[in-house]
């Protein structure tokens, strides 16, 4: 049996946001590898062996998946959102780069998913309608000084910014510091969107001005969208504004 390895994105939460391509790969898989809560999102079935593991074990997961594929198994590594955005695709290729030479010739495919920033943006309108960037606030794999430098430069360049992993019990102060830094560089009126547990039953979305944002509103299931100086609100009767960034930098805010 010829093995293969697919690195698949399960989207932000709702089953209807999983792509048909990912669904087909899961139906063919003999082995499922991933962070335990993501593995749990895939239904059990006969012939599928599940390999759930704890957080921060990305390289171990990647090595296991590659070994299984080399043995002829049909392996799917699952991530939430898109596997190429702060997720397992990079970990798998890091393992390939540093691992067995034969792994380089395996059939490895990356199957895209809907990233949290795109799902969140769609809920509120079109805040990513002009240039934007994504920054992971976790400093587990990079120094906090680098995070601060990137935040400041992105704000100075007037990008819309999507912040991933803003707050956790292990990192309680970083998001608050990020808000302080952004307030130094951006107008306090810039819209900020807290989007938590998008597409799940616990979905919660709140749009506030940057000056009024409170760090404790976020958690690890929250993606934070920070507008540029040109991002606009369209006020609606229900109190939930549309948020959009004009496509042209020549359009005055």
């Amino acid at each position: 049996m010829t093995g293969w390895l697919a690195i698949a994105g399960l989207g932000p939460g709702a089953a209807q946001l999983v792509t048909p391509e990912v669904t087909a790969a899961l139906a063919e898989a003999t082995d499922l590898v991933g962070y335990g809560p993501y593995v749990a999102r895939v239904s059990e079935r006969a012939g599928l062996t599940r390999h759930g593991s704890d957080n921060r074990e990305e390289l171990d997961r990647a090595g296991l998946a590659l070994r299984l594929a080399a043995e002829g198994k049909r392996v799917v590594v699952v991530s939430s959102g898109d596997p190429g955005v702060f997720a397992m695709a990079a970990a798998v290729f890091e393992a390939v780069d540093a691992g067995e030479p034969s792994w380089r010739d395996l059939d490895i495919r990356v199957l895209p998913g809907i990233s949290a920033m795109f799902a969140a943006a769609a809920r509120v309108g079109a805040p990513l309608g002009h240039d934007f960037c994504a920054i992971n606030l976790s400093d587990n794999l990079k120094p906090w000084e680098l995070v601060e430098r990137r935040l400041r430069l992105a704000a100075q360049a007037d990008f819309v910014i999507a912040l991933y992993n803003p707050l956790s019990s292990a990192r309680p102060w970083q998001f608050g510091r990020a808000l302080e830094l952004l307030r130094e560089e951006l107008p306090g009126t810039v819209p900020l969107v807290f989007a938590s547990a998008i597409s799940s039953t616990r979905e919660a979305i709140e749009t506030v001005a940057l000056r009024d944002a409170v760090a404790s509103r976020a958690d690890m299931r929250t993606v934070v969208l920070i507008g540029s100086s040109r991002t606009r609100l369209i006020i609606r009767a229900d109190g939930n504004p549309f948020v959009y960034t004009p496509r042209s930098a020549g359009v005055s805010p």
Side-chain angles (χ1 to χ4, degrees):
M1 180 169 62
T2 302
W4 48 257
L5 172 56
I7 313 161
L10 297 177
Q16 62 265 35
L17 296 183
V18 179
T19 70
E21 182 182 37
V22 169
T23 299
L26 291 170
E28 294 179 29
T30 61
D31 291 80
L32 184 67
V33 177
Y35 177 41
Y38 303 153
V39 169
R41 287 174 55 183
V42 179
S43 299
E44 295 188 31
R45 62 167 172 81
L48 179 64
T49 302
R50 300 151 70 87
H51 307 269
S53 56
D54 201 357
N55 199 11
R56 299 193 189 182
E57 295 183 6
E58 291 90 349
L59 289 177
D60 288 341
R61 282 199 289 273
L64 171 62
L66 289 160
R67 289 192 296 273
L68 290 170
E71 292 169 6
K73 303 293 182 64
R74 301 187 297 273
V75 185
V76 176
V77 175
V78 290
S79 291
S80 66
D82 181 277
V85 179
F86 307 127
M88 280 303 299
V92 169
F93 289 113
E94 286 177 30
V96 171
D97 199 14
E100 299 292 334
S102 59
W103 289 352
R104 298 176 179 227
D105 296 319
L106 288 172
D107 178 3
I108 302 175
R109 320 161 197 168
V110 180
L111 310 183
I114 297 174
S115 186
M117 63 181 166
F118 300 132
R123 284 289 196 262
V124 299
L128 306 182
H130 194 59
D131 295 340
F132 66 91
C133 66
I135 296 176
N136 187 342
L137 280 192
S138 173
D139 55 352
N140 290 330
L141 297 175
K142 59 182 182 285
W144 178 250
E145 292 76 14
L146 179 59
V147 177
E148 287 205 6
R149 180 170 180 267
R150 288 174 173 172
L151 280 169
R152 194 175 295 280
L153 290 173
Q156 290 173 358
D158 208 21
F159 284 111
V160 174
I161 305 170
L163 294 181
Y164 280 72
N165 299 320
L167 194 69
S168 72
S169 58
R171 296 182 294 98
W173 59 267
Q174 283 87 338
F175 182 41
R177 171 58 188 146
L179 290 175
E180 292 175 1
L181 184 153
L182 291 168
R183 289 178 184 130
E184 293 172 7
E185 301 291 345
L186 293 170
T189 54
V190 159
L192 183 149
V193 178
F194 291 104
S196 301
I198 292 298
S199 80
S200 80
T201 57
R202 291 168 32 185
E203 176 177 301
I205 299 174
E206 182 182 8
T207 301
V208 300
L210 174 60
R211 65 178 170 232
D212 299 324
V214 177
S216 60
R217 168 63 182 78
D219 59 23
M220 283 296 288
R221 294 203 66 190
T222 303
V223 63
V224 181
L225 304 179
I226 298 145
S228 73
S229 66
R230 296 181 177 273
T231 301
R232 303 182 183 184
L233 298 183
I234 300 176
I235 303 303
R236 307 168 72 207
D238 65 2
N240 297 312
F242 287 126
V243 184
Y244 84 102
T245 305
R247 295 168 299 150
S248 171
V251 176
S252 299

